[in-house]
Amino acid sequence: MALIAIEEHWNLPELTSAVQALPEDRGDPSVMLDGLGDNLERLHDIGDARIAAMDAQGVDLQILSLAPPGTQPLEPADARTLSRRANDIAAEAVGRHPTRLRAFSTLPMADPAAAVAELERAAGLGFVGAMVYGRTGETPLDDPRYDHLFATAAALRQPIFIHPQIPTRTVRDAVYSGFDPVTDLALATFGWGWHLEAALAALRLIVRGTFDRHPDLQLVLGHWGELLLFWTDRADSLSSIAGLDRKVSDYVRSNIHVTSSGMFDPALLRHVLEVTTPDRLLFSTDYPFQRPVKADIEKFLTEFPTDEDRAKFTAGNACSLFGINL
């Protein structure tokens, strides 16, 4: 049984340095999480050591993506330069390991026209989609300036993965502060805030009518849907108010795929299967931030109700969505 992991991170040292050099009001303190343990060493490797880690987990193929926050906090010129460089490096890695690696492109979202051009260039290089974040500065992903990007992604069959990002400084101060600095950061990122941000970005795209205009566009959300799938009953009430063609939950089932992100809790699987269909589920480990061992992965896979559903989750859905031939 093949196993394709689609949310597996790497990083570019010069990009990390550029983010760390930003003023506080534009920076992203979550980059400090890259330095915990041996994360940084693993993030910088997209060669033999990564392949060895995949072998140990039983993963046949990884889809590479830059760790947060990508290039989105940067000024347009820096975002363009470093996005292109990151994509060239990822393409080289895939070229060295064509049976083991694919990649999501990094886009200079501070320059919407350049983001479209880079998506087109990356698609030509064999990238299987793009990873973006829900906000660029103060501009949300559903802003009309990005509509051409989504039209292009739909036409090129390039799925867009919306990865979590840290809330704005104003929101962090109002909602996620009051503890010690490390707890504040954890609460605003992996403990809670990251996931609300990603869910809200996807929900705003739905409410904006993005999928009514671009019905072929496909999104991917990590962490079993970033809480969105757990609240569709209430979210459906937005559909008539926003003048949408369908219910929010219908768009979730037709235009959004969700990944496991290393969260191998059978209760999460059971709930998601009640909300969406088995052909919307994708395997991922969120490497190197989560590192489930092979035995844990194999145990979780026994929780699927049928062999067919299990095969879709492990590789079938990824092959279909991203055009991968094993």
Side-chain angles (χ1 to χ4, degrees), residues 134-271:
R135 187 186 67 258
T136 303
E138 297 295 327
T139 304
L141 190 58
D142 61 284
D143 188 278
R145 73 187 70 181
Y146 294 120
D147 201 58
H148 184 40
L149 174 66
F150 292 122
T152 303
L156 294 174
R157 299 183 64 83
Q158 290 275 294
I160 302 294
F161 195 129
I162 303 178
H163 193 277
Q165 76 184 132
I166 198 167
T168 64
R169 182 79 217 193
T170 300
V171 172
R172 298 201 308 271
D173 287 344
V175 180
Y176 297 105
S177 65
F179 305 94
D180 62 90
V182 175
T183 303
D184 287 355
L185 179 62
L187 186 62
T189 55
F190 58 84
W192 195 252
W194 263 352
H195 311 294
L196 293 183
E197 292 290 309
L200 182 59
L203 182 57
R204 286 183 62 101
L205 283 169
I206 295 172
V207 173
R208 184 73 72 176
T210 306
F211 300 106
D212 292 339
R213 294 189 301 278
H214 312 298
D216 293 332
L217 177 67
Q218 295 295 316
L219 296 184
V220 181
L221 291 173
H223 309 95
W224 296 111
E226 306 292 4
L227 304 176
L228 180 59
L229 271 65
F230 295 85
W231 213 245
T232 53
D233 184 69
R234 297 291 282 183
D236 275 344
S237 64
L238 295 167
S239 298
S240 60
I241 294 171
L244 300 178
D245 292 346
R246 296 181 287 151
K247 295 190 298 183
V248 168
S249 56
D250 288 341
Y251 298 104
V252 168
R253 285 188 289 269
S254 64
N255 295 92
I256 295 179
H257 290 73
V258 301
T259 84
S260 53
S261 302
M263 300 167 64
F264 296 132
D265 182 343
L268 297 175
L269 172 64
R270 289 193 294 271
H271 183 273

Side-chain angles (χ1 to χ4, degrees), residues 1-6 221 224 257-265 268-269 272-273 277-285 296-319 322:
M1 180 174 58
L3 194 58
I4 299 176
I6 79 147
L221 291 173
W224 296 111
H257 290 73
V258 301
T259 84
S260 53
S261 302
M263 300 167 64
F264 296 132
D265 182 343
L268 297 175
L269 172 64
V272 168
L273 285 173
T277 58
D279 58 358
R280 294 274 135 188
L281 276 56
L282 300 162
F283 175 82
S284 68
T285 74
D296 291 339
I297 293 170
E298 291 176 344
K299 180 179 179 182
F300 177 74
L301 293 178
T302 65
E303 299 291 337
F304 278 80
T306 69
D307 291 342
E308 181 182 6
D309 290 350
R310 183 183 304 109
K312 289 180 178 180
F313 174 70
T314 57
N317 292 338
C319 288
F322 301 116

Side-chain angles (χ1 to χ4, degrees), residues 9 16 29 31 57 86 88 114 120 145 156 196 301 305 313:
H9 296 297
T16 301
V31 295
Q57 288 183 314
D88 287 345
E120 292 173 331
R145 73 187 70 181
L156 294 174
L196 293 183
L301 293 178
F313 174 70

Side-chain angles (χ1 to χ4, degrees), residues 85-99:
R85 175 158 172 73
N87 291 336
D88 287 345
I89 291 172
E92 290 172 1
V94 173
R96 290 192 302 271
H97 302 281
T99 64

